Amino acid sequence: MRAVTRDPLPRRAHRVAVLMVTAVLAGLVAGCCPPAVSQALALGTQSESRGDVDPALLSVTDDATLAARFETAWSLVAQRYWDLTRLPVDWDEVGERYRARLAAVHDDDALYALLEEMYDEIGDNHSVFVPPSRVAEIRDLYGSMPCVAVFGSTAIGTPPGQPMTAAGHWTSGPLQVGSWLSASPVVAQLLPADTNAIGTVRFGMTSAVTGDADVPIGYIMVPDLASEGVAGAVRQAVERLQADGAQGLVVDLRGNPGGRLVTMMQVAGVFTRGFLWRAIMSWTLPLPYPAIGQVATELPLALLIDGDVNSAAEGLAGALQANGRATLFGATTAGNVEAVLPFCLRDGSQAWIATGVLAPLQGATWEGRGVVPDVAVEQDAAAAGDGADPVLAAALDALARETTAP
């Protein structure tokens, strides 16, 4: 075994994995987990690009029009936020306070400043108002993220009480993965001496000793669910490890910030089948999500998790635990599974709103509480510095005992 270090990242990157919801026909297929936009807006310089703006609105800044645009931005939160009772403020009261300040607003810049301040009161580190001058910057930082078009106070294709469908003109593209990939607070993680890589996924054979038996175990590190081809890489890794004689598998999700929801579903489909999740929203019935693909292995499975596992990665771990497919080792995950949906307004601005949360098919959402491991194992930096990994050791020991049990 050898130690592999990861680059440390800013703390904001550890708090930020969020789901972005999109739908196709009968269900939602989404990408997720760029850094929280409300924090990302503090980065870099403003772009002067106004994006896709309705030209008719650029020259219309009379008080009535400004007031109408304010109401659209306020109403989107009132109608689409996943649970207004979770807010630290009364959204109706917030609306009244900020409406009273509209008398001093006479141009676009003043309106956008007011709306940004109002959205800051949501306080969830996810929901945010993005003025047109920042849209290009966000696109450059996190890739192309199409959003739901809004005319007046209505989102096209998403009438209140109806689920998002393809008519909503919302499709998910791959997100850019780079410096925002979260890293575990552990200084190093142990990998088998000989490892292979497919994209960002690394894997290799290790072993665990129990009694007189030396049990071969396959190890797979999955650092994110957003990079292109992650699900296929996990599937290939599983197939190659099985061919090499693995009798059990360890999937290491520690530090995984999440990624695309469809990737979560595809990776789950390597190990199990059926409907595993639901999206909880205030404006429509819960929507179920299935595992996708043909099951590739029935080998005993252990997942490694920690407090820096976020969003879709939490959903993957929690679902495989809930249906009894995997045993989880390590520490409770971040509890950060809000589903963020961007809405495009006619003036080129965007409203990013937490419209739902991910949950197991049955039971409470992981939002705010995280996925609790079956076997809690403390990982300290000193142990990692000495080349020890008690979380991995615990998982290997459990798999060895399970595979050799009579």
Side-chain angles (χ1 to χ4, degrees), residues 168-215:
H169 309 299
W170 170 248
T171 58
S172 177
L175 306 184
Q176 298 299 318
V177 180
S179 62
W180 60 269
L181 285 181
S182 179
S184 170
V186 177
V187 174
Q189 291 192 17
L190 295 179
L191 289 174
D194 297 317
T195 61
N196 302 284
I198 304 175
T200 62
V201 174
R202 301 181 66 179
F203 63 97
M205 290 292 293
T206 184
S207 63
V209 177
T210 177
D212 296 328
D214 190 2
V215 182

Coordinates of all heavy atoms in Angstrom, one line a residue, residues 168-215:
G168 N -40.1 21.8 -20.3 CA -39.6 22.9 -19.6 C -38.3 23.5 -20.2 O -37.7 24.4 -19.7
H169 N -37.9 22.9 -21.3 CA -36.7 23.4 -22.0 C -35.4 23.4 -21.1 O -34.6 24.3 -21.2 CB -36.9 24.8 -22.6 CG -38.2 24.9 -23.4 ND1 -38.4 24.2 -24.5 CD2 -39.3 25.7 -23.2 CE1 -39.6 24.5 -25.0 NE2 -40.1 25.4 -24.2
W170 N -35.4 22.4 -20.3 CA -34.2 22.3 -19.3 C -33.5 21.0 -19.6 O -34.0 20.0 -19.4 CB -34.8 22.4 -17.9 CG -33.8 22.1 -16.8 CD1 -33.7 21.0 -16.0 CD2 -32.6 22.8 -16.5 NE1 -32.7 21.0 -15.2 CE2 -32.0 22.1 -15.4 CE3 -32.1 24.0 -17.0 CZ2 -30.8 22.6 -14.9 CZ3 -30.9 24.5 -16.4 CH2 -30.3 23.8 -15.3
T171 N -32.3 21.1 -20.0 CA -31.5 19.9 -20.2 C -30.2 20.1 -19.4 O -29.7 21.2 -19.1 CB -31.1 19.8 -21.7 OG1 -30.4 20.9 -22.1 CG2 -32.4 19.6 -22.5
S172 N -29.6 18.9 -19.1 CA -28.4 19.0 -18.2 C -27.2 18.7 -19.1 O -27.2 17.7 -19.8 CB -28.5 17.9 -17.1 OG -27.3 17.8 -16.4
G173 N -26.2 19.5 -19.0 CA -24.9 19.3 -19.6 C -23.9 18.9 -18.6 O -24.1 19.1 -17.4
P174 N -22.7 18.4 -19.1 CA -21.7 18.1 -18.1 C -21.1 19.3 -17.4 O -21.0 20.3 -18.1 CB -20.6 17.4 -19.0 CG -20.9 17.9 -20.3 CD -22.4 18.1 -20.4
L175 N -20.9 19.2 -16.1 CA -20.3 20.3 -15.4 C -18.8 20.3 -15.5 O -18.2 19.2 -15.6 CB -20.8 20.3 -14.0 CG -22.3 20.2 -13.8 CD1 -22.6 20.3 -12.3 CD2 -23.0 21.4 -14.5
Q176 N -18.2 21.4 -15.4 CA -16.7 21.4 -15.4 C -16.2 21.0 -14.0 O -16.7 21.5 -13.0 CB -16.2 22.9 -15.7 CG -16.6 23.3 -17.1 CD -16.1 22.5 -18.2 OE1 -14.9 22.1 -18.1 NE2 -16.9 22.1 -19.1
V177 N -15.2 20.1 -14.0 CA -14.7 19.6 -12.7 C -13.2 20.0 -12.7 O -12.5 19.7 -13.6 CB -14.9 18.1 -12.6 CG1 -14.3 17.6 -11.3 CG2 -16.3 17.7 -12.7
G178 N -12.8 20.6 -11.7 CA -11.4 21.0 -11.6 C -11.1 21.4 -10.1 O -11.1 20.5 -9.2
S179 N -10.8 22.6 -9.9 CA -10.3 23.1 -8.6 C -11.3 22.9 -7.5 O -11.0 22.9 -6.3 CB -9.8 24.5 -8.7 OG -10.9 25.4 -9.0
W180 N -12.6 22.8 -7.9 CA -13.6 22.7 -6.8 C -13.8 21.3 -6.3 O -14.5 21.1 -5.3 CB -14.9 23.3 -7.3 CG -15.6 22.6 -8.5 CD1 -15.4 22.9 -9.8 CD2 -16.5 21.5 -8.4 NE1 -16.1 22.1 -10.6 CE2 -16.8 21.2 -9.8 CE3 -17.0 20.8 -7.4 CZ2 -17.7 20.2 -10.1 CZ3 -17.9 19.7 -7.8 CH2 -18.3 19.5 -9.1
L181 N -13.1 20.3 -6.8 CA -13.2 19.0 -6.3 C -12.8 19.0 -4.9 O -11.7 19.4 -4.5 CB -12.4 18.0 -7.1 CG -12.9 17.6 -8.5 CD1 -12.0 16.6 -9.1 CD2 -14.3 17.0 -8.4
S182 N -13.7 18.5 -4.0 CA -13.4 18.5 -2.6 C -12.4 17.4 -2.2 O -12.3 16.4 -2.8 CB -14.7 18.3 -1.8 OG -14.5 18.2 -0.4
A183 N -11.7 17.7 -1.2 CA -10.7 16.7 -0.7 C -11.0 16.4 0.8 O -11.4 17.3 1.5 CB -9.3 17.2 -0.8
S184 N -10.7 15.2 1.2 CA -10.9 14.8 2.6 C -9.9 15.6 3.4 O -8.8 15.9 3.0 CB -10.7 13.3 2.7 OG -10.6 12.9 4.1
P185 N -10.3 15.9 4.7 CA -9.3 16.5 5.6 C -8.2 15.6 5.9 O -7.1 16.0 6.4 CB -10.2 16.8 6.8 CG -11.3 15.9 6.8 CD -11.6 15.7 5.3
V186 N -8.3 14.3 5.7 CA -7.2 13.4 5.9 C -6.1 13.7 4.9 O -6.3 14.0 3.7 CB -7.7 11.9 5.6 CG1 -6.5 11.0 5.7 CG2 -8.8 11.6 6.6
V187 N -4.9 13.8 5.4 CA -3.8 14.2 4.6 C -3.5 13.3 3.4 O -3.2 13.7 2.3 CB -2.5 14.3 5.4 CG1 -1.3 14.6 4.6 CG2 -2.7 15.4 6.5
A188 N -3.7 12.0 3.6 CA -3.5 11.0 2.5 C -4.4 9.9 2.6 O -5.0 9.6 3.7 CB -2.0 10.5 2.6
Q189 N -4.6 9.2 1.5 CA -5.4 8.0 1.5 C -4.5 6.9 1.0 O -3.6 7.1 0.1 CB -6.7 8.1 0.7 CG -7.7 9.1 1.3 CD -9.0 9.0 0.6 OE1 -9.3 8.0 -0.1 NE2 -9.9 10.0 0.7
L190 N -4.8 5.7 1.4 CA -4.0 4.6 1.0 C -4.6 3.9 -0.2 O -5.8 3.6 -0.3 CB -3.8 3.5 2.1 CG -3.1 4.1 3.3 CD1 -3.0 3.0 4.4 CD2 -1.7 4.5 3.0
L191 N -3.7 3.6 -1.2 CA -4.2 2.9 -2.4 C -3.3 1.6 -2.5 O -2.2 1.5 -2.0 CB -3.9 3.7 -3.6 CG -4.9 4.9 -3.8 CD1 -4.4 5.7 -5.0 CD2 -6.3 4.4 -4.0
P192 N -3.8 0.6 -3.2 CA -3.0 -0.5 -3.5 C -1.7 -0.1 -4.2 O -1.6 0.9 -4.9 CB -3.8 -1.4 -4.4 CG -5.2 -1.0 -4.1 CD -5.2 0.5 -3.7
A193 N -0.6 -0.9 -4.0 CA 0.7 -0.5 -4.6 C 0.6 -0.3 -6.1 O 1.3 0.6 -6.6 CB 1.7 -1.5 -4.2
D194 N -0.1 -1.2 -6.7 CA -0.3 -1.1 -8.2 C -1.7 -0.6 -8.5 O -2.7 -1.4 -8.3 CB 0.0 -2.4 -8.8 CG 1.5 -2.8 -8.6 OD1 2.3 -2.0 -8.8 OD2 1.7 -4.0 -8.3
T195 N -1.9 0.6 -9.0 CA -3.2 1.1 -9.3 C -3.3 1.4 -10.8 O -2.3 1.7 -11.5 CB -3.5 2.3 -8.5 OG1 -2.5 3.4 -8.8 CG2 -3.5 2.1 -7.0
N196 N -4.5 1.4 -11.2 CA -4.9 1.8 -12.6 C -5.8 3.0 -12.5 O -6.4 3.2 -11.5 CB -5.6 0.6 -13.3 CG -4.7 -0.6 -13.4 OD1 -3.8 -0.7 -14.2 ND2 -5.0 -1.6 -12.5
A197 N -5.9 3.7 -13.6 CA -6.8 4.8 -13.7 C -7.6 4.8 -15.0 O -7.1 4.6 -16.1 CB -6.0 6.1 -13.5
I198 N -8.9 5.1 -14.9 CA -9.7 5.4 -16.0 C -10.4 6.8 -15.7 O -11.3 6.9 -14.9 CB -10.8 4.3 -16.2 CG1 -10.2 3.0 -16.3 CG2 -11.7 4.7 -17.4 CD1 -11.2 1.8 -16.4
G199 N -9.9 7.8 -16.4 CA -10.4 9.1 -16.1 C -9.9 9.5 -14.7 O -8.8 9.3 -14.3
T200 N -10.9 10.0 -13.9 CA -10.6 10.3 -12.5 C -10.7 9.1 -11.5 O -10.3 9.2 -10.4 CB -11.6 11.4 -12.0 OG1 -12.9 10.9 -12.0 CG2 -11.5 12.7 -12.9
V201 N -11.2 8.0 -12.0 CA -11.4 6.8 -11.2 C -10.1 6.0 -11.1 O -9.5 5.7 -12.1 CB -12.6 6.0 -11.7 CG1 -12.7 4.7 -10.9 CG2 -13.9 6.8 -11.6
R202 N -9.7 5.7 -9.9 CA -8.5 4.8 -9.7 C -8.9 3.5 -9.0 O -9.8 3.5 -8.2 CB -7.4 5.6 -8.9 CG -7.0 6.9 -9.5 CD -6.0 7.6 -8.7 NE -4.7 6.8 -8.6 CZ -3.6 7.2 -8.0 NH1 -3.6 8.4 -7.3 NH2 -2.5 6.5 -8.0
F203 N -8.2 2.5 -9.3 CA -8.6 1.2 -8.8 C -7.4 0.2 -8.8 O -6.4 0.4 -9.5 CB -9.7 0.6 -9.6 CG -9.4 0.2 -11.0 CD1 -9.1 -1.0 -11.4 CD2 -9.5 1.2 -12.0 CE1 -8.8 -1.3 -12.7 CE2 -9.2 0.9 -13.3 CZ -8.9 -0.3 -13.7
G204 N -7.5 -0.8 -7.9 CA -6.4 -1.8 -7.9 C -6.8 -2.9 -6.9 O -7.8 -2.8 -6.2
M205 N -6.0 -3.9 -6.8 CA -6.2 -5.1 -5.9 C -5.4 -4.9 -4.6 O -4.3 -4.4 -4.6 CB -5.8 -6.4 -6.6 CG -6.7 -6.8 -7.8 SD -8.3 -7.3 -7.2 CE -7.9 -8.8 -6.3
T206 N -6.1 -5.2 -3.5 CA -5.4 -5.3 -2.2 C -5.9 -6.5 -1.6 O -6.5 -7.4 -2.3 CB -5.7 -4.0 -1.4 OG1 -5.0 -4.1 -0.2 CG2 -7.2 -3.9 -1.1
S207 N -5.6 -6.7 -0.3 CA -6.0 -8.0 0.3 C -6.2 -7.7 1.8 O -5.8 -6.7 2.4 CB -5.0 -9.1 0.1 OG -3.8 -8.7 0.7
A208 N -6.9 -8.7 2.4 CA -7.1 -8.6 3.9 C -6.9 -10.0 4.4 O -7.3 -11.0 3.8 CB -8.5 -8.1 4.2
V209 N -6.3 -10.1 5.6 CA -5.9 -11.4 6.2 C -6.9 -11.7 7.3 O -7.2 -10.9 8.1 CB -4.5 -11.5 6.7 CG1 -4.2 -12.8 7.4 CG2 -3.5 -11.2 5.6
T210 N -7.5 -12.9 7.2 CA -8.4 -13.4 8.3 C -8.1 -14.8 8.5 O -8.2 -15.7 7.6 CB -9.9 -13.2 8.0 OG1 -10.7 -13.7 9.0 CG2 -10.3 -13.8 6.7
G211 N -7.7 -15.1 9.8 CA -7.2 -16.5 10.1 C -6.1 -16.9 9.2 O -5.1 -16.2 9.2
D212 N -6.2 -18.0 8.5 CA -5.1 -18.4 7.6 C -5.3 -18.0 6.1 O -4.6 -18.3 5.2 CB -5.0 -19.9 7.6 CG -4.6 -20.5 9.0 OD1 -3.8 -19.7 9.7 OD2 -5.0 -21.6 9.3
A213 N -6.4 -17.2 5.9 CA -6.8 -16.8 4.5 C -6.3 -15.4 4.2 O -6.4 -14.5 5.0 CB -8.3 -16.9 4.4
D214 N -5.8 -15.2 3.0 CA -5.5 -13.9 2.5 C -6.5 -13.6 1.4 O -6.4 -14.2 0.3 CB -4.0 -14.0 1.9 CG -3.5 -12.6 1.5 OD1 -4.3 -11.6 1.8 OD2 -2.4 -12.5 1.0
V215 N -7.4 -12.8 1.7 CA -8.6 -12.6 0.8 C -8.3 -11.4 -0.1 O -8.1 -10.3 0.3 CB -9.9 -12.3 1.7 CG1 -11.1 -12.1 0.8 CG2 -10.1 -13.4 2.7

